[in-house]
Amino acid sequence: MPSLRIKVTRIAVALVLVSTPALGELGWKEADYAKHYGSPQKSPLTPDQVRFDRPGGGMLLLRMADGRSQEELWVVERDEKAIPEALRKQAREATKSKKPARVVRFKVPLAPAAEIYETTKGRQTIQVDVRNRGFRSVALCLKSKPCILLDQILNIERQTDALIAPGAIEMMRRRD
């Protein structure tokens, strides 16, 4: 028969497991993310968004409502391992043997197009931005609400592309 100490330890471990949400699950509080990813960054221009920089590059961007995450956007700089393994697995599944839901092309010469894959599983939607056959970012949002973070990032990239493209095209002409 287990001792009282072992029983108490088992109960404590069970409580921790029940109270700790799994990575890649929406509904966490900001403090839950801070425990895993350090200090958050916030901007007064986007009060519903919280950002966590990831070691080795990349970031986790959250959209919050009522104190809980409604959407996650994992931006990869150099290493896909910046994304939790369970979410990476879901992202791989979303991109297998399917055509992208949409393709975003840029005007800058040699800029890779963004192939956006999207699938819904359970109560969540996953969006995957693939460039040069690798993940650029992975978004996770509630099926019942619109996903907006990936589109915001793509809009910023399109605006930057529109500013840079004329000069880049001219430089390519002069080089040839």
Side-chain angles (χ1 to χ4, degrees), residues 107-120:
K107 297 174 185 173
V108 170
L110 305 177
E115 296 178 332
I116 310 301
Y117 293 84
E118 185 172 318
T119 190
T120 300

Side-chain angles (χ1 to χ4, degrees), residues 36-37 52-59 75 77-79 81-83:
H36 290 278
Y37 304 115
F52 294 88
D53 290 324
R54 304 288 295 132
M59 71 171 170
V75 178
E77 292 274 330
R78 296 176 289 277
D79 188 3
K81 291 180 181 168
I83 302 171

Side-chain angles (χ1 to χ4, degrees), residues 6 13 32 52 62 65 78 81-83 89 116-117 133 144 156 167 175:
I6 292 172
V13 168
D32 297 326
F52 294 88
L62 306 172
R78 296 176 289 277
K81 291 180 181 168
I83 302 171
K89 184 178 176 185
I116 310 301
Y117 293 84
R133 292 187 232 150
S144 61
I156 291 168
R175 200 174 90 188

Side-chain angles (χ1 to χ4, degrees), residues 68-124:
R68 297 199 175 268
S69 63
Q70 302 297 304
E71 186 173 1
E72 297 177 353
L73 178 66
W74 299 80
V75 178
V76 177
E77 292 274 330
R78 296 176 289 277
D79 188 3
E80 285 182 10
K81 291 180 181 168
I83 302 171
E85 177 58 36
L87 191 54
R88 263 195 332 262
K89 184 178 176 185
Q90 288 179 343
R92 278 189 214 103
E93 282 296 315
T95 61
K96 275 188 180 174
S97 69
K98 289 171 60 177
K99 289 186 177 182
R102 60 192 161 118
V103 176
V104 178
R105 299 194 189 287
F106 300 99
K107 297 174 185 173
V108 170
L110 305 177
E115 296 178 332
I116 310 301
Y117 293 84
E118 185 172 318
T119 190
T120 300
K121 189 173 184 179
R123 64 181 195 92
Q124 297 179 345

